[in-house]
Amino acid sequence: MGSYNKPSAKSSADAASRPPLPFISETPVYEPKWYQFFPGFDLTLPIGANYAPEGRASVMQNGEFGTNHGGDFNIGVGGTYNNVWNFQLTYRNFFGSTEYQHYADRDYVSFFIRRAF
């Protein structure tokens, strides 16, 4: 992959003149499901990861945004009850250098519940 100088605190004009690296990212997701874990209840365990080994997204802020050598990891638990109620609780962790990964200093937990009728 050729050499690349890390961005410095110089003006955005310097950053705009530098050719952006191609953005490469991979997001595998694995979600096993156990049917009838309890009577009428199906259980899922979603696990996913995203890693960008090289580059930054050129569509945002002249290529100065992205997770070069960083990404995120998430794990959760979910379920469906009687094919009507659906819920999921997920934890997400961001990793990588804070120079490129703007969310590396925070994690979050999300929860949703919905009902079909």
Side-chain angles (χ1 to χ4, degrees), residues 3 5-6 9 20 35-36 39 45-46 52-56 63 65 70 75 78-79 81-82 87 94 101-102 104 109:
S3 65
N5 296 326
K6 289 185 178 180
Y35 295 100
Q36 296 296 314
L45 183 68
E54 191 67 46
R56 290 179 301 283
F65 185 79
I75 186 167
Y81 181 68
N82 287 337
F87 78 93
F94 295 94
Q101 173 58 280
H102 302 285
V109 175

Side-chain angles (χ1 to χ4, degrees), residues 34-58:
W34 293 271
Y35 295 100
Q36 296 296 314
F37 190 77
F38 296 117
F41 183 79
D42 300 335
L43 182 69
T44 62
L45 183 68
I47 301 169
N50 179 2
Y51 181 68
E54 191 67 46
R56 290 179 301 283
S58 62

Side-chain angles (χ1 to χ4, degrees), residues 41 43-44 77-80 85-89 111-114:
F41 183 79
L43 182 69
T44 62
V77 63
T80 304
W85 290 97
N86 192 336
F87 78 93
Q88 189 167 358
L89 177 68
F111 176 75
F112 80 82
I113 187 168
R114 68 179 169 215

Side-chain angles (χ1 to χ4, degrees), residues 59-112:
V59 296
M60 301 189 67
Q61 301 175 3
N62 295 324
E64 294 300 316
F65 185 79
T67 58
N68 190 27
H69 301 291
D72 65 86
F73 170 80
N74 62 69
I75 186 167
V77 63
T80 304
Y81 181 68
N82 287 337
N83 286 332
V84 175
W85 290 97
N86 192 336
F87 78 93
Q88 189 167 358
L89 177 68
T90 305
Y91 166 74
R92 173 163 278 158
N93 171 266
F94 295 94
F95 58 89
S97 167
T98 56
E99 184 177 3
Y100 300 114
Q101 173 58 280
H102 302 285
Y103 302 116
D105 62 343
R106 63 198 82 185
D107 301 339
Y108 69 85
V109 175
S110 63
F111 176 75
F112 80 82

